[in-house]
Amino acid sequence: MKIVYYEMRKSWLKPSVLLVLIALSVLNIYRLNEVFNIFGRFSGDDMTEIKSAYYQMYDELNGSVSANEIQFLKENDNRLSTLALNKEYSTEYDPDCYTGYEFGDFALFHFYLVPEVEYYITYPNLSNKIVSKAYENIDFYTQCGNSYQTKYNTLIYNLYSGRSIPEYHLTEWAEHYFSYDFSSLLAIIMLIAGLSSCFSQEKECGMSALISSSGKVGITVRAKLASAFMYSLLLALYFVLLDLATVGILYGVDGLDRPVYSAEYFAYCPYSFTFAQAILICAALKFIALFIIAELIMLISEISPNTIVAAIVAFAAAVALILTAGYSDIPLNPIMALTPDTYLKELNCINLFGEPVPALCVALFSLGVISVGLAVFITIIAPYNLRRTKC
């Protein structure tokens, strides 16, 4: 354990890397705030009254919406829509209006409250439509003798059957959290900053020959892998929590124990995970992906003559991975796993020996195998190269 700590101190557990992390954290928060100001539903100075009224109404409506509350929303929406359509609304301040103005109330009900509550109430209609279509397809493909499509539509039928949204909750945060991937780019930068010198610094200071002659080559390589493992895990957890905390401050996080399809953004999500479970699954994917990238950086560092070359090549490799992401149906590129909603928004299946397997399951398995395979490769090739090093 002492040698692992020593490797951590040599590579990423040092003040310079911490300063980079602080700077990138500030940049990440700034970026999320910019997204909020540009794409947030209440962005703009003229939305202050609507925003205040919305959260006041939400506090009264969240949870199970009663029939009386539904009728209240419907009546107000119809009345205010008629006024807006006929341009009969008053432009004078009215203290009896929720926003202070009739047109503001129209926007509040017509564009915010009513669509959200309508989605909450009518979601079973959407899921039942998917189930009905899948049932028709099962019958059709069974008659055609298409075994794969029959199994695929049976999977759809099973995944989407019996769905409903138990309660109305604020879900705008989910779209902004699960679609945000800028922090993953920052995590890759942190990996390059912390691990590019993993092996190259041994060559620069002459330590590789000393390690080889001491007979501690194998344990040193394993310690470096353990250090990279811990670093990747800490970065994944840190940026997941930082993103969640920032989104919570900007948008408000609610309904973590509700199914992800409670958010309209995930209307076609094939899974019944809760938001909390989805966050944990995405965090696991992010960790595995970051560890694979960390291992690639270690390999680059191992063959590079110095740390500067290692950092440049590692950056170029990261860019190559980013540019080639999405070109293959089989989820082998770790970059794909760094965007939280990649495997959650809709059902994508991989045909494995005639069986439709969800891409999420394939990604977890394949990336896990790649990470283990790279670790084994590093434990084999790195000691061999270290032993060849001359004083």
Side-chain angles (χ1 to χ4, degrees), residues 48-58 98-99 105 108 113:
T48 304
E49 292 82 5
I50 294 178
K51 178 180 179 180
S52 177
Y54 171 83
Y55 284 108
Q56 180 183 348
M57 291 290 292
Y58 173 75
Y98 295 97
T99 63
D105 278 14
L108 171 66
L113 294 173

Side-chain angles (χ1 to χ4, degrees), residues 37-70:
N37 290 331
I38 296 173
F39 299 106
R41 60 169 57 191
F42 300 114
S43 58
D45 297 333
D46 57 339
M47 298 294 289
T48 304
E49 292 82 5
I50 294 178
K51 178 180 179 180
S52 177
Y54 171 83
Y55 284 108
Q56 180 183 348
M57 291 290 292
Y58 173 75
D59 289 338
E60 298 176 8
L61 291 172
N62 80 92
S64 297
V65 181
S66 67
N68 289 336
E69 289 170 329
I70 294 171

Side-chain angles (χ1 to χ4, degrees), residues 206 209-210 213 389-391:
L210 182 61
S213 62
T389 305
K390 304 296 183 182
C391 296

Side-chain angles (χ1 to χ4, degrees), residues 8-21:
M8 291 162 58
R9 289 287 302 271
K10 281 200 306 180
S11 56
W12 56 269
L13 193 59
K14 50 189 179 182
S16 58
V17 176
L18 178 60
L19 289 175
V20 174
L21 178 62

Side-chain angles (χ1 to χ4, degrees), residues 221-381:
V221 172
R222 289 192 293 273
K224 290 180 183 293
L225 274 170
S227 171
F229 181 92
M230 288 296 298
Y231 190 39
S232 303
L233 178 61
L234 290 174
L235 283 176
L237 290 175
Y238 176 78
F239 279 108
V240 164
L241 293 175
L242 180 64
D243 289 350
L244 190 61
T246 307
V247 167
I249 292 170
L250 295 174
Y251 298 94
V253 173
D254 193 13
L256 284 172
D257 59 340
R258 301 292 102 185
V260 290
Y261 53 77
S262 297
E264 191 167 0
Y265 183 71
F266 285 117
Y268 297 97
C269 175
Y271 310 108
S272 297
F273 304 140
T274 64
F275 285 115
Q277 290 169 336
I279 290 170
L280 290 175
I281 290 169
C282 291
L285 279 169
K286 178 172 286 193
F287 159 62
I288 298 172
L290 289 178
F291 184 49
I292 290 174
I293 296 171
E295 291 172 313
L296 293 174
I297 294 172
M298 291 178 70
L299 284 171
I300 292 170
S301 178
E302 202 276 330
I303 63 176
S304 298
N306 57 62
T307 301
I308 295 176
V309 172
I312 293 172
V313 175
F315 183 78
V319 171
L321 284 173
I322 292 170
L323 293 177
T324 56
Y327 280 90
S328 173
D329 292 334
I330 302 176
L332 299 176
N333 191 327
I335 296 298
M336 294 294 294
L338 292 177
T339 301
D341 65 356
T342 299
Y343 303 110
L344 294 181
K345 282 197 70 177
E346 57 188 26
L347 180 62
N348 292 314
C349 286
I350 309 298
N351 187 342
L352 294 180
F353 309 107
E355 295 292 332
V357 182
L360 173 62
C361 300
V362 177
L364 285 168
F365 178 78
S366 62
L367 294 179
V369 170
I370 291 172
S371 66
V372 173
L374 283 173
V376 172
F377 181 73
I378 290 171
T379 59
I380 294 173
I381 194 69

